[in-house]
Amino acid sequence: MLTGSINYNLSLGYVLTFLLAGLGIVSILHTFRNLVHLYVSAGRVSPVFAGDLAHFQIVFENRSDFERYSLDLVCGAARRASTSPPIATGRRSSP
């Protein structure tokens, strides 16, 4: 887009190019701020036989003072959301 704006001398092309670039940089910074000091670890897993359905527990641990009210975990078509308020110890688990 920037090359096209330079080539054809389009003022609105410059505006759109730098607006989208600025939005991209701001969204990267917000994403980093939301994920910094958030640790993900494996919880307990019960033993299963081959071919059985296995359930995994994933533990999110918040090691900062920043409160995270909603965490979404997506794997393929499965989606799990945790919208509980922060726990005093900073640990939250999602089965």
Side-chain angles (χ1 to χ4, degrees), residues 3-21:
T3 306
S5 298
I6 291 171
N7 191 29
Y8 293 109
N9 198 14
L10 299 173
S11 298
L12 289 177
Y14 286 118
V15 171
L16 181 62
T17 300
F18 290 112
L19 178 70
L20 291 176

mmCIF file with all atom_site columns, all heavy atoms in Angstrom, residues 3-21:
data_model
loop_
_atom_site.group_PDB
_atom_site.id
_atom_site.type_symbol
_atom_site.label_atom_id
_atom_site.label_alt_id
_atom_site.label_comp_id
_atom_site.label_asym_id
_atom_site.label_entity_id
_atom_site.label_seq_id
_atom_site.pdbx_PDB_ins_code
_atom_site.Cartn_x
_atom_site.Cartn_y
_atom_site.Cartn_z
_atom_site.occupancy
_atom_site.B_iso_or_equiv
_atom_site.pdbx_formal_charge
_atom_site.auth_seq_id
_atom_site.auth_comp_id
_atom_site.auth_asym_id
_atom_site.auth_atom_id
_atom_site.pdbx_PDB_model_num
ATOM 1   N N   . THR A 1 3  ? 3.852  1.524  -1.263  1.00 0.00 ? 3  THR A N   1
ATOM 2   C CA  . THR A 1 3  ? 4.455  1.655  -2.600  1.00 0.00 ? 3  THR A CA  1
ATOM 3   C C   . THR A 1 3  ? 3.448  2.232  -3.593  1.00 0.00 ? 3  THR A C   1
ATOM 4   O O   . THR A 1 3  ? 3.785  3.105  -4.399  1.00 0.00 ? 3  THR A O   1
ATOM 5   C CB  . THR A 1 3  ? 4.947  0.284  -3.098  1.00 0.00 ? 3  THR A CB  1
ATOM 6   O OG1 . THR A 1 3  ? 5.822  -0.266 -2.119  1.00 0.00 ? 3  THR A OG1 1
ATOM 7   C CG2 . THR A 1 3  ? 5.666  0.409  -4.418  1.00 0.00 ? 3  THR A CG2 1
ATOM 8   N N   . GLY A 1 4  ? 2.202  1.773  -3.520  1.00 0.00 ? 4  GLY A N   1
ATOM 9   C CA  . GLY A 1 4  ? 1.170  2.317  -4.403  1.00 0.00 ? 4  GLY A CA  1
ATOM 10  C C   . GLY A 1 4  ? 0.885  3.777  -4.118  1.00 0.00 ? 4  GLY A C   1
ATOM 11  O O   . GLY A 1 4  ? 0.664  4.575  -5.036  1.00 0.00 ? 4  GLY A O   1
ATOM 12  N N   . SER A 1 5  ? 0.876  4.152  -2.837  1.00 0.00 ? 5  SER A N   1
ATOM 13  C CA  . SER A 1 5  ? 0.641  5.557  -2.473  1.00 0.00 ? 5  SER A CA  1
ATOM 14  C C   . SER A 1 5  ? 1.783  6.447  -2.947  1.00 0.00 ? 5  SER A C   1
ATOM 15  O O   . SER A 1 5  ? 1.553  7.569  -3.404  1.00 0.00 ? 5  SER A O   1
ATOM 16  C CB  . SER A 1 5  ? 0.483  5.684  -0.962  1.00 0.00 ? 5  SER A CB  1
ATOM 17  O OG  . SER A 1 5  ? -0.622 4.946  -0.521  1.00 0.00 ? 5  SER A OG  1
ATOM 18  N N   . ILE A 1 6  ? 3.007  5.954  -2.832  1.00 0.00 ? 6  ILE A N   1
ATOM 19  C CA  . ILE A 1 6  ? 4.155  6.735  -3.307  1.00 0.00 ? 6  ILE A CA  1
ATOM 20  C C   . ILE A 1 6  ? 4.122  6.847  -4.827  1.00 0.00 ? 6  ILE A C   1
ATOM 21  O O   . ILE A 1 6  ? 4.341  7.924  -5.393  1.00 0.00 ? 6  ILE A O   1
ATOM 22  C CB  . ILE A 1 6  ? 5.473  6.093  -2.835  1.00 0.00 ? 6  ILE A CB  1
ATOM 23  C CG1 . ILE A 1 6  ? 5.616  6.231  -1.325  1.00 0.00 ? 6  ILE A CG1 1
ATOM 24  C CG2 . ILE A 1 6  ? 6.678  6.708  -3.538  1.00 0.00 ? 6  ILE A CG2 1
ATOM 25  C CD1 . ILE A 1 6  ? 6.774  5.439  -0.741  1.00 0.00 ? 6  ILE A CD1 1
ATOM 26  N N   . ASN A 1 7  ? 3.820  5.734  -5.503  1.00 0.00 ? 7  ASN A N   1
ATOM 27  C CA  . ASN A 1 7  ? 3.840  5.708  -6.965  1.00 0.00 ? 7  ASN A CA  1
ATOM 28  C C   . ASN A 1 7  ? 2.780  6.624  -7.563  1.00 0.00 ? 7  ASN A C   1
ATOM 29  O O   . ASN A 1 7  ? 3.052  7.340  -8.531  1.00 0.00 ? 7  ASN A O   1
ATOM 30  C CB  . ASN A 1 7  ? 3.653  4.275  -7.455  1.00 0.00 ? 7  ASN A CB  1
ATOM 31  C CG  . ASN A 1 7  ? 3.920  4.129  -8.927  1.00 0.00 ? 7  ASN A CG  1
ATOM 32  O OD1 . ASN A 1 7  ? 4.707  4.873  -9.504  1.00 0.00 ? 7  ASN A OD1 1
ATOM 33  N ND2 . ASN A 1 7  ? 3.263  3.167  -9.546  1.00 0.00 ? 7  ASN A ND2 1
ATOM 34  N N   . TYR A 1 8  ? 1.563  6.604  -6.996  1.00 0.00 ? 8  TYR A N   1
ATOM 35  C CA  . TYR A 1 8  ? 0.467  7.387  -7.569  1.00 0.00 ? 8  TYR A CA  1
ATOM 36  C C   . TYR A 1 8  ? 0.221  8.693  -6.814  1.00 0.00 ? 8  TYR A C   1
ATOM 37  O O   . TYR A 1 8  ? -0.737 9.408  -7.120  1.00 0.00 ? 8  TYR A O   1
ATOM 38  C CB  . TYR A 1 8  ? -0.815 6.554  -7.600  1.00 0.00 ? 8  TYR A CB  1
ATOM 39  C CG  . TYR A 1 8  ? -0.713 5.392  -8.555  1.00 0.00 ? 8  TYR A CG  1
ATOM 40  C CD1 . TYR A 1 8  ? -0.616 4.088  -8.089  1.00 0.00 ? 8  TYR A CD1 1
ATOM 41  C CD2 . TYR A 1 8  ? -0.706 5.613  -9.931  1.00 0.00 ? 8  TYR A CD2 1
ATOM 42  C CE1 . TYR A 1 8  ? -0.520 3.026  -8.962  1.00 0.00 ? 8  TYR A CE1 1
ATOM 43  C CE2 . TYR A 1 8  ? -0.600 4.560  -10.821 1.00 0.00 ? 8  TYR A CE2 1
ATOM 44  C CZ  . TYR A 1 8  ? -0.504 3.274  -10.326 1.00 0.00 ? 8  TYR A CZ  1
ATOM 45  O OH  . TYR A 1 8  ? -0.413 2.224  -11.197 1.00 0.00 ? 8  TYR A OH  1
ATOM 46  N N   . ASN A 1 9  ? 1.039  9.010  -5.804  1.00 0.00 ? 9  ASN A N   1
ATOM 47  C CA  . ASN A 1 9  ? 0.938  10.241 -5.032  1.00 0.00 ? 9  ASN A CA  1
ATOM 48  C C   . ASN A 1 9  ? -0.473 10.400 -4.448  1.00 0.00 ? 9  ASN A C   1
ATOM 49  O O   . ASN A 1 9  ? -1.143 11.417 -4.641  1.00 0.00 ? 9  ASN A O   1
ATOM 50  C CB  . ASN A 1 9  ? 1.320  11.451 -5.879  1.00 0.00 ? 9  ASN A CB  1
ATOM 51  C CG  . ASN A 1 9  ? 1.655  12.650 -5.032  1.00 0.00 ? 9  ASN A CG  1
ATOM 52  O OD1 . ASN A 1 9  ? 1.860  12.510 -3.828  1.00 0.00 ? 9  ASN A OD1 1
ATOM 53  N ND2 . ASN A 1 9  ? 1.697  13.825 -5.653  1.00 0.00 ? 9  ASN A ND2 1
ATOM 54  N N   . LEU A 1 10 ? -0.909 9.380  -3.702  1.00 0.00 ? 10 LEU A N   1
ATOM 55  C CA  . LEU A 1 10 ? -2.245 9.382  -3.104  1.00 0.00 ? 10 LEU A CA  1
ATOM 56  C C   . LEU A 1 10 ? -2.157 9.764  -1.630  1.00 0.00 ? 10 LEU A C   1
ATOM 57  O O   . LEU A 1 10 ? -1.610 9.033  -0.807  1.00 0.00 ? 10 LEU A O   1
ATOM 58  C CB  . LEU A 1 10 ? -2.879 7.991  -3.214  1.00 0.00 ? 10 LEU A CB  1
ATOM 59  C CG  . LEU A 1 10 ? -3.094 7.460  -4.631  1.00 0.00 ? 10 LEU A CG  1
ATOM 60  C CD1 . LEU A 1 10 ? -3.556 6.017  -4.572  1.00 0.00 ? 10 LEU A CD1 1
ATOM 61  C CD2 . LEU A 1 10 ? -4.121 8.316  -5.335  1.00 0.00 ? 10 LEU A CD2 1
ATOM 62  N N   . SER A 1 11 ? -2.725 10.903 -1.292  1.00 0.00 ? 11 SER A N   1
ATOM 63  C CA  . SER A 1 11 ? -2.691 11.365 0.094   1.00 0.00 ? 11 SER A CA  1
ATOM 64  C C   . SER A 1 11 ? -3.513 10.468 1.007   1.00 0.00 ? 11 SER A C   1
ATOM 65  O O   . SER A 1 11 ? -3.102 10.141 2.119   1.00 0.00 ? 11 SER A O   1
ATOM 66  C CB  . SER A 1 11 ? -3.213 12.796 0.184   1.00 0.00 ? 11 SER A CB  1
ATOM 67  O OG  . SER A 1 11 ? -2.384 13.658 -0.559  1.00 0.00 ? 11 SER A OG  1
ATOM 68  N N   . LEU A 1 12 ? -4.705 10.082 0.567   1.00 0.00 ? 12 LEU A N   1
ATOM 69  C CA  . LEU A 1 12 ? -5.540 9.203  1.391   1.00 0.00 ? 12 LEU A CA  1
ATOM 70  C C   . LEU A 1 12 ? -4.931 7.806  1.499   1.00 0.00 ? 12 LEU A C   1
ATOM 71  O O   . LEU A 1 12 ? -5.163 7.100  2.478   1.00 0.00 ? 12 LEU A O   1
ATOM 72  C CB  . LEU A 1 12 ? -6.956 9.126  0.824   1.00 0.00 ? 12 LEU A CB  1
ATOM 73  C CG  . LEU A 1 12 ? -7.790 10.401 0.985   1.00 0.00 ? 12 LEU A CG  1
ATOM 74  C CD1 . LEU A 1 12 ? -9.147 10.231 0.332   1.00 0.00 ? 12 LEU A CD1 1
ATOM 75  C CD2 . LEU A 1 12 ? -7.951 10.760 2.439   1.00 0.00 ? 12 LEU A CD2 1
ATOM 76  N N   . GLY A 1 13 ? -4.150 7.422  0.520   1.00 0.00 ? 13 GLY A N   1
ATOM 77  C CA  . GLY A 1 13 ? -3.433 6.147  0.606   1.00 0.00 ? 13 GLY A CA  1
ATOM 78  C C   . GLY A 1 13 ? -2.398 6.175  1.714   1.00 0.00 ? 13 GLY A C   1
ATOM 79  O O   . GLY A 1 13 ? -2.215 5.197  2.439   1.00 0.00 ? 13 GLY A O   1
ATOM 80  N N   . TYR A 1 14 ? -1.698 7.321  1.864   1.00 0.00 ? 14 TYR A N   1
ATOM 81  C CA  . TYR A 1 14 ? -0.759 7.475  2.972   1.00 0.00 ? 14 TYR A CA  1
ATOM 82  C C   . TYR A 1 14 ? -1.478 7.396  4.313   1.00 0.00 ? 14 TYR A C   1
ATOM 83  O O   . TYR A 1 14 ? -1.014 6.749  5.253   1.00 0.00 ? 14 TYR A O   1
ATOM 84  C CB  . TYR A 1 14 ? -0.037 8.825  2.893   1.00 0.00 ? 14 TYR A CB  1
ATOM 85  C CG  . TYR A 1 14 ? 1.010  8.912  1.819   1.00 0.00 ? 14 TYR A CG  1
ATOM 86  C CD1 . TYR A 1 14 ? 0.898  9.833  0.784   1.00 0.00 ? 14 TYR A CD1 1
ATOM 87  C CD2 . TYR A 1 14 ? 2.131  8.097  1.847   1.00 0.00 ? 14 TYR A CD2 1
ATOM 88  C CE1 . TYR A 1 14 ? 1.858  9.941  -0.197  1.00 0.00 ? 14 TYR A CE1 1
ATOM 89  C CE2 . TYR A 1 14 ? 3.101  8.187  0.867   1.00 0.00 ? 14 TYR A CE2 1
ATOM 90  C CZ  . TYR A 1 14 ? 2.959  9.117  -0.151  1.00 0.00 ? 14 TYR A CZ  1
ATOM 91  O OH  . TYR A 1 14 ? 3.922  9.212  -1.110  1.00 0.00 ? 14 TYR A OH  1
ATOM 92  N N   . VAL A 1 15 ? -2.620 8.081  4.410   1.00 0.00 ? 15 VAL A N   1
ATOM 93  C CA  . VAL A 1 15 ? -3.384 8.074  5.655   1.00 0.00 ? 15 VAL A CA  1
ATOM 94  C C   . VAL A 1 15 ? -3.803 6.654  6.012   1.00 0.00 ? 15 VAL A C   1
ATOM 95  O O   . VAL A 1 15 ? -3.619 6.204  7.149   1.00 0.00 ? 15 VAL A O   1
ATOM 96  C CB  . VAL A 1 15 ? -4.624 8.995  5.538   1.00 0.00 ? 15 VAL A CB  1
ATOM 97  C CG1 . VAL A 1 15 ? -5.547 8.822  6.732   1.00 0.00 ? 15 VAL A CG1 1
ATOM 98  C CG2 . VAL A 1 15 ? -4.210 10.442 5.387   1.00 0.00 ? 15 VAL A CG2 1
ATOM 99  N N   . LEU A 1 16 ? -4.345 5.931  5.063   1.00 0.00 ? 16 LEU A N   1
ATOM 100 C CA  . LEU A 1 16 ? -4.795 4.566  5.328   1.00 0.00 ? 16 LEU A CA  1
ATOM 101 C C   . LEU A 1 16 ? -3.619 3.649  5.669   1.00 0.00 ? 16 LEU A C   1
ATOM 102 O O   . LEU A 1 16 ? -3.711 2.845  6.596   1.00 0.00 ? 16 LEU A O   1
ATOM 103 C CB  . LEU A 1 16 ? -5.543 4.013  4.103   1.00 0.00 ? 16 LEU A CB  1
ATOM 104 C CG  . LEU A 1 16 ? -6.105 2.607  4.243   1.00 0.00 ? 16 LEU A CG  1
ATOM 105 C CD1 . LEU A 1 16 ? -7.140 2.549  5.358   1.00 0.00 ? 16 LEU A CD1 1
ATOM 106 C CD2 . LEU A 1 16 ? -6.692 2.140  2.932   1.00 0.00 ? 16 LEU A CD2 1
ATOM 107 N N   . THR A 1 17 ? -2.518 3.792  4.956   1.00 0.00 ? 17 THR A N   1
ATOM 108 C CA  . THR A 1 17 ? -1.339 2.956  5.213   1.00 0.00 ? 17 THR A CA  1
ATOM 109 C C   . THR A 1 17 ? -0.813 3.161  6.624   1.00 0.00 ? 17 THR A C   1
ATOM 110 O O   . THR A 1 17 ? -0.597 2.203  7.371   1.00 0.00 ? 17 THR A O   1
ATOM 111 C CB  . THR A 1 17 ? -0.233 3.272  4.196   1.00 0.00 ? 17 THR A CB  1
ATOM 112 O OG1 . THR A 1 17 ? -0.722 3.019  2.878   1.00 0.00 ? 17 THR A OG1 1
ATOM 113 C CG2 . THR A 1 17 ? 0.995  2.438  4.463   1.00 0.00 ? 17 THR A CG2 1
ATOM 114 N N   . PHE A 1 18 ? -0.612 4.409  7.017   1.00 0.00 ? 18 PHE A N   1
ATOM 115 C CA  . PHE A 1 18 ? -0.038 4.667  8.342   1.00 0.00 ? 18 PHE A CA  1
ATOM 116 C C   . PHE A 1 18 ? -1.056 4.457  9.454   1.00 0.00 ? 18 PHE A C   1
ATOM 117 O O   . PHE A 1 18 ? -0.686 4.117  10.580  1.00 0.00 ? 18 PHE A O   1
ATOM 118 C CB  . PHE A 1 18 ? 0.578  6.065  8.388   1.00 0.00 ? 18 PHE A CB  1
ATOM 119 C CG  . PHE A 1 18 ? 1.820  6.154  7.546   1.00 0.00 ? 18 PHE A CG  1
ATOM 120 C CD1 . PHE A 1 18 ? 1.849  6.916  6.398   1.00 0.00 ? 18 PHE A CD1 1
ATOM 121 C CD2 . PHE A 1 18 ? 2.959  5.447  7.907   1.00 0.00 ? 18 PHE A CD2 1
ATOM 122 C CE1 . PHE A 1 18 ? 2.995  6.987  5.620   1.00 0.00 ? 18 PHE A CE1 1
ATOM 123 C CE2 . PHE A 1 18 ? 4.114  5.505  7.134   1.00 0.00 ? 18 PHE A CE2 1
ATOM 124 C CZ  . PHE A 1 18 ? 4.127  6.275  5.993   1.00 0.00 ? 18 PHE A CZ  1
ATOM 125 N N   . LEU A 1 19 ? -2.334 4.617  9.165   1.00 0.00 ? 19 LEU A N   1
ATOM 126 C CA  . LEU A 1 19 ? -3.360 4.308  10.157  1.00 0.00 ? 19 LEU A CA  1
ATOM 127 C C   . LEU A 1 19 ? -3.378 2.810  10.452  1.00 0.00 ? 19 LEU A C   1
ATOM 128 O O   . LEU A 1 19 ? -3.398 2.389  11.617  1.00 0.00 ? 19 LEU A O   1
ATOM 129 C CB  . LEU A 1 19 ? -4.734 4.766  9.667   1.00 0.00 ? 19 LEU A CB  1
ATOM 130 C CG  . LEU A 1 19 ? -5.904 4.454  10.598  1.00 0.00 ? 19 LEU A CG  1
ATOM 131 C CD1 . LEU A 1 19 ? -5.829 5.323  11.846  1.00 0.00 ? 19 LEU A CD1 1
ATOM 132 C CD2 . LEU A 1 19 ? -7.215 4.663  9.882   1.00 0.00 ? 19 LEU A CD2 1
ATOM 133 N N   . LEU A 1 20 ? -3.348 1.993  9.423   1.00 0.00 ? 20 LEU A N   1
ATOM 134 C CA  . LEU A 1 20 ? -3.329 0.544  9.622   1.00 0.00 ? 20 LEU A CA  1
ATOM 135 C C   . LEU A 1 20 ? -2.040 0.084  10.285  1.00 0.00 ? 20 LEU A C   1
ATOM 136 O O   . LEU A 1 20 ? -2.057 -0.807 11.142  1.00 0.00 ? 20 LEU A O   1
ATOM 137 C CB  . LEU A 1 20 ? -3.528 -0.177 8.286   1.00 0.00 ? 20 LEU A CB  1
ATOM 138 C CG  . LEU A 1 20 ? -4.912 -0.059 7.664   1.00 0.00 ? 20 LEU A CG  1
ATOM 139 C CD1 . LEU A 1 20 ? -4.944 -0.733 6.304   1.00 0.00 ? 20 LEU A CD1 1
ATOM 140 C CD2 . LEU A 1 20 ? -5.965 -0.641 8.578   1.00 0.00 ? 20 LEU A CD2 1
ATOM 141 N N   . ALA A 1 21 ? -0.922 0.691  9.927   1.00 0.00 ? 21 ALA A N   1
ATOM 142 C CA  . ALA A 1 21 ? 0.346  0.342  10.568  1.00 0.00 ? 21 ALA A CA  1
ATOM 143 C C   . ALA A 1 21 ? 0.323  0.717  12.047  1.00 0.00 ? 21 ALA A C   1
ATOM 144 O O   . ALA A 1 21 ? 0.774  -0.051 12.907  1.00 0.00 ? 21 ALA A O   1
ATOM 145 C CB  . ALA A 1 21 ? 1.507  1.031  9.857   1.00 0.00 ? 21 ALA A CB  1
#
